[in-house]
């Protein structure tokens, strides 16, 4: 970037950078700096009577400074929080040369610079826990001005709150908005809690292909690419289901994977084309067992992340404790849309959609027609965790038929605050039935449904070797994080959400 394109503050910082080098101070020194504590450890453990933390080595970003002649106060921020530092000219410059204080600290360092401090903890006369600096080291010079948030008389100034800027410059968002860092810490805790829960249940974490010759396991539009060496088209996976079930065929009792999936579809507050999904498959279980398994898991996560099973999501108080409601999908349509679609054929469903003013596409088969009615009339009513169960066969091409009604399947979707959080089945393990349903999907694709499934003949062959009765679950980690942290948009739980490219310089 040309210096002529910089604003005044950016030009001044580059001039300071040059002056530091003239003084023999490297603004970006070798990376090793021997920190031995953090702001949170000092705040939690300092005891004036014990006189501990007397050999502190800490590093952080300068967030404020108050220079008062030969002494100064500043505030530095590390990963764990902020702490005040006290800098005395004669302490950090014990000899005749006062350059480090008079020139470097007072004139050439800026808000946002990363420094190292060696010193000791103490309490100031005003009762403020601080670090008394004995030595100051510049670790990284900041060339851009931080949007430091200020508050006066209850009014906030310079807040870094514009959504587009926050998502494009997440690194700045993380610096100036500590609550954002907390959200992603909780995301990590959610995944760690799930992993612990699955491991305790005897399941094995595995990895399956991201590039697939057939995009299977879900009804979604895939991204397509080309493999030059093999000279074949490949797809970014839309789900990892079929590979995980191959592993159940191979003899594993339970397998799970935290997978990056990709769907070439729309973007909104709850959808991103690249997302994280957890899928787990356990042999000799069914969807009823899986419902209880999910209830216990979500209670465990809520308690770990928030200390309570009740979570504030938007305007709603959602309770992840206890037993969730179980509601058959056709009963839900009857309850919320006021129509009984049980037994309707495709033409009758189209007419019903027309009467209910539900927008549909000519390529829709029975499954998508029912799903369209459900989406329009039912989803937004499902605020508290609710298992929608027993989907029609046409909506569930990978699901075992219901043991009491063969027109239905043993499937549930978990809804929270009007959004799907999880999808689970008693898995279809009849290879003949599976092939027929793949062929039905292929017929829908020929009618123009670009989300319909491909026929995966190798998966059918795997089933022909025999897959034990199995229950499977898929759960969106991004949406789960939204719910557990009270966020209302998926972009707020993704470090780097997908956005249209833009020159950031």
């Amino acid at each position: 970037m040309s210096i002529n394109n910089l604003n005044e503050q950016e030009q001044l910082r580059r001039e300071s950078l040059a002056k530091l080098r003239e003084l023999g101070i490297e603004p970006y020194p070798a990376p090793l700096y021997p920190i031995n504590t953090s702001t949170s450890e000092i705040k939690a453990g300092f005891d004036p009577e014990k006189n501990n933390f007397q050999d502190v080595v800490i590093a952080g970003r300068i967030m404020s400074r108050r220079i008062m002649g030969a002494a100064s106060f500043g505030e530095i921020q590390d990963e764990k929080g902020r702490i005040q530092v006290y800098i005395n000219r004669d302490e950090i410059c014990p000899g005749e040369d006062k350059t480090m204080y008079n020139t470097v600290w007072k004139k050439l360092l800026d808000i946002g610079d990363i420094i190292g401090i060696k010193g000791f903890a103490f309490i100031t006369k005003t009762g403020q826990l601080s670090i008394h600096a004995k030595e100051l080291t510049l670790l990284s010079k900041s060339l851009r001005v931080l949007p430091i948030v200020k508050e006066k008389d209850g009014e906030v100034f310079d807040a870094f709150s514009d959504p587009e800027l926050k998502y494009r410059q997440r690194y700045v968002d993380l610096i100036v908005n500590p609550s954002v860092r907390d959200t992603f810490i909780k995301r990590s805790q959610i995944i760690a809690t799930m992993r612990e829960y699955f491991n305790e249940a005897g399941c094995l974490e595995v990895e399956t292909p991201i590039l697939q010759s057939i995009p299977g396991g879900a009804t979604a539009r895939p991204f397509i690419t080309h493999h030059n060496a093999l000279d074949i088209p490949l797809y970014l996976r839309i789900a990892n289901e079929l590979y995980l079930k191959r592993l159940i065929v191979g003899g594993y009792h339970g397998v799970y994977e935290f997978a990056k999936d990709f769907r070439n579809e729309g973007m909104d507050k709850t959808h991103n084309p690249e997302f994280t999904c957890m899928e787990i498959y356990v042999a000799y279980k069914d969807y009823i067992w899986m419902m209880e398994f999910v209830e216990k898991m979500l209670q465990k996560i809520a308690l770990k992340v928030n200390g309570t099973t009740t979570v504030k999501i938007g305007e709603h108080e959602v309770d992840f404790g206890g037993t969730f409601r179980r509601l058959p999908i056709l009963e839900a349509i009857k309850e919320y849309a006021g129509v009984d679609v049980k037994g309707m054929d495709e033409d009758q469903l189209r007419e019903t959609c027309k009467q209910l003013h539900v927008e549909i596409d000519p390529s829709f088969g029975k499954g998508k027609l029912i799903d369209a009615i459900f989406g329009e009339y039912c989803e937004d009513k499902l605020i508290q965790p609710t298992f929608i169960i027993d989907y029609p066969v046409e909506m569930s091409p990978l699901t075992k038929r219901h043991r009491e009604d063969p027109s239905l399947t043993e499937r549930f979707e978990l809804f929270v605050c009007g959004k799907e959080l999880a999808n689970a089945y008693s898995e279809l393990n009849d290879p003949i039935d599976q092939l027929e349903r793949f062929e039905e999907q292929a017929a829908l694709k020929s009618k123009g449904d670009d989300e319909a499934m491909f026929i995966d003949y190798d998966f059918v062959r795997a089933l022909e070797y025999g897959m034990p009765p199995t229950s499977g679950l898929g759960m969106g980690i991004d949406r789960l994080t939204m719910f557990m942290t009270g966020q209302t948009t998926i972009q707020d739980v993704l470090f780097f959400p997908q956005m249209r490219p833009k020159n950031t310089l």
Side-chain angles (χ1 to χ4, degrees):
M1 177 185 288
S2 169
I3 194 167
N4 297 322
N5 296 327
L6 303 176
N7 62 41
E8 181 181 0
Q9 286 295 320
E10 290 168 344
Q11 289 184 34
L12 288 173
R13 290 189 177 219
R14 278 166 172 75
E15 290 170 7
S16 294
L17 181 77
K19 290 176 182 177
L20 285 164
R21 286 188 165 131
E22 289 173 6
L23 291 170
I25 297 173
E26 173 52 53
Y28 307 102
L32 179 62
Y33 188 76
I35 59 173
N36 60 15
T37 188
S38 66
T39 55
S40 62
E41 288 176 350
I42 297 170
K43 289 178 178 179
F46 178 66
D47 185 341
E49 295 183 1
K50 294 180 179 178
N51 204 32
N52 56 350
F53 289 98
Q54 296 305 292
D55 185 20
V56 166
V57 184
I58 195 168
R61 194 180 294 272
I62 301 172
M63 301 304 287
S64 68
R65 287 189 305 172
R66 301 190 308 280
I67 297 174
M68 302 170 291
S72 304
F73 284 98
E75 193 176 39
I76 63 170
Q77 174 178 287
D78 65 7
E79 182 187 16
K80 302 295 185 179
R82 297 187 184 188
I83 197 165
Q84 181 171 272
V85 295
Y86 169 72
I87 299 176
N88 182 285
R89 179 189 62 195
D90 297 327
E91 292 275 5
I92 66 169
C93 304
E96 293 296 322
D97 185 358
K98 308 298 182 183
T99 302
M100 178 55 73
Y101 184 86
N102 292 336
T103 302
V104 176
W105 170 251
K106 290 176 67 174
K107 298 177 181 179
L108 301 182
L109 296 189
D110 295 287
I111 303 299
D113 291 351
I114 298 172
I115 61 173
I117 295 289
K118 294 182 180 181
F120 59 88
F122 76 111
I123 302 294
T124 66
K125 293 179 180 179
T126 59
Q128 180 74 40
L129 175 62
S130 305
I131 304 300
H132 187 128
K134 303 290 286 185
E135 182 181 314
L136 182 152
T137 304
L138 175 61
L139 300 176
S140 183
K141 179 69 182 165
S142 173
L143 300 182
R144 287 187 180 260
V145 181
L146 281 179
I148 300 299
V149 181
K150 306 180 186 70
E151 187 173 344
K152 184 178 180 181
D153 300 327
E155 189 173 355
V156 177
F157 300 90
D158 299 328
F160 192 72
S161 56
D162 178 78
E164 179 162 344
L165 276 178
K166 284 164 62 74
Y167 304 148
R168 288 190 185 278
Q169 300 178 31
R170 182 65 83 189
Y171 37 88
V172 179
D173 192 26
L174 292 166
I175 293 170
V176 302
N177 293 317
S179 63
V180 174
R181 294 203 304 273
D182 292 341
T183 294
F184 288 99
I185 290 170
K186 288 183 175 180
R187 180 187 175 108
S188 181
Q189 290 174 337
I190 289 168
I191 293 173
T193 302
M194 295 175 77
R195 185 171 274 123
E196 178 185 40
Y197 184 69
F198 299 149
N199 290 344
E200 289 176 351
C203 298
L204 179 71
E205 184 171 10
V206 299
E207 294 178 297
T208 61
I210 294 175
L211 288 173
Q212 302 180 352
S213 58
I214 296 176
T219 53
R221 184 183 301 165
F223 288 92
I224 187 170
T225 186
H226 185 82
H227 191 291
N228 291 334
L230 295 177
D231 193 25
I232 59 170
L234 289 174
Y235 302 86
L236 291 177
R237 69 178 168 205
I238 57 177
N240 50 345
E241 174 173 343
L242 301 187
Y243 282 95
L244 291 175
K245 288 197 282 193
R246 285 173 169 92
L247 297 180
I248 296 295
V249 171
Y252 289 105
H253 170 74
V255 292
Y256 71 94
E257 181 177 16
F258 290 92
K260 280 290 186 182
D261 290 342
F262 307 84
R263 297 183 183 179
N264 196 0
E265 300 170 345
M267 297 171 58
D268 57 32
K269 289 184 176 182
T270 59
H271 293 87
N272 195 64
E274 174 186 351
F275 62 99
T276 303
C277 184
M278 185 289 306
E279 293 201 28
I280 183 170
Y281 295 83
V282 186
Y284 309 108
K285 307 297 183 185
D286 63 7
Y287 80 137
I288 297 172
W289 176 88
M290 187 62 79
M291 282 187 257
E292 297 172 354
F293 188 73
V294 169
E295 287 170 340
K296 292 174 184 176
M297 179 184 71
L298 292 176
Q299 291 168 27
K300 186 180 181 74
I301 291 170
L303 289 170
K304 175 65 176 180
V305 173
N306 297 307
T308 175
T309 60
T310 302
V311 179
K312 179 77 171 177
I313 305 175
E315 61 184 19
H316 302 292
E317 291 279 349
V318 175
D319 189 1
F320 287 99
T323 301
F324 305 160
R325 185 186 184 192
R326 287 138 167 82
L327 178 63
I329 187 171
L330 300 184
E331 291 297 319
I333 291 173
K334 184 187 295 186
E335 179 176 334
Y336 295 115
V339 295
D340 186 356
V341 299
K342 184 177 176 62
M344 286 187 179
D345 60 23
E346 187 173 317
D347 291 337
Q348 291 171 317
L349 285 168
R350 288 187 183 281
E351 180 60 30
T352 300
C353 287
K354 182 178 179 181
Q355 293 172 0
L356 294 173
H357 305 289
V358 175
E359 187 175 342
I360 57 173
D361 187 89
S363 67
F364 284 8
K366 285 183 63 176
K368 284 204 167 184
L369 293 170
I370 293 171
D371 192 44
I373 298 171
F374 176 78
E376 183 70 26
Y377 280 87
C378 306
E379 287 189 8
D380 62 353
K381 311 296 193 307
L382 306 172
I383 304 303
Q384 296 302 319
T386 303
F387 290 120
I388 297 297
I389 65 173
D390 300 348
Y391 284 66
V393 168
E394 294 83 2
M395 297 180 70
S396 312
L398 298 170
T399 312
K400 199 174 190 70
R401 291 180 187 268
H402 198 283
R403 65 198 72 180
E404 296 177 0
D405 185 345
S407 70
L408 304 176
T409 59
E410 295 193 350
R411 173 187 176 189
F412 73 77
E413 288 185 298
L414 174 61
F415 283 84
V416 178
C417 281
K419 300 296 180 183
E420 176 202 342
L421 176 57
N423 188 19
Y425 314 148
S426 293
E427 299 296 336
L428 178 59
N429 60 346
D430 180 339
I432 296 174
D433 191 357
Q434 180 64 84
L435 180 58
E436 290 174 353
R437 296 209 223 166
F438 274 149
E439 289 170 343
E440 290 168 3
Q441 288 287 301
L444 292 173
K445 186 172 285 292
S446 67
K447 290 173 58 178
D449 186 350
D450 55 7
E451 293 184 350
M453 289 188 185
F454 289 70
I455 300 179
D456 189 335
Y457 289 107
D458 180 73
F459 177 67
V460 174
R461 178 169 55 193
L463 292 184
E464 289 175 344
Y465 282 98
M467 184 176 83
T470 298
S471 182
L473 167 78
M475 179 173 287
I477 299 301
D478 308 321
R479 198 168 290 178
L480 174 60
T481 304
M482 286 175 59
F483 293 151
M484 290 296 174
T485 61
Q487 304 299 321
T488 56
T489 64
I490 195 170
Q491 289 79 11
D492 286 325
V493 299
L494 300 173
F495 274 129
F496 306 106
Q498 195 67 46
M499 301 186 74
R500 193 180 300 277
K502 182 179 180 181
N503 186 352
T504 57
L505 293 179

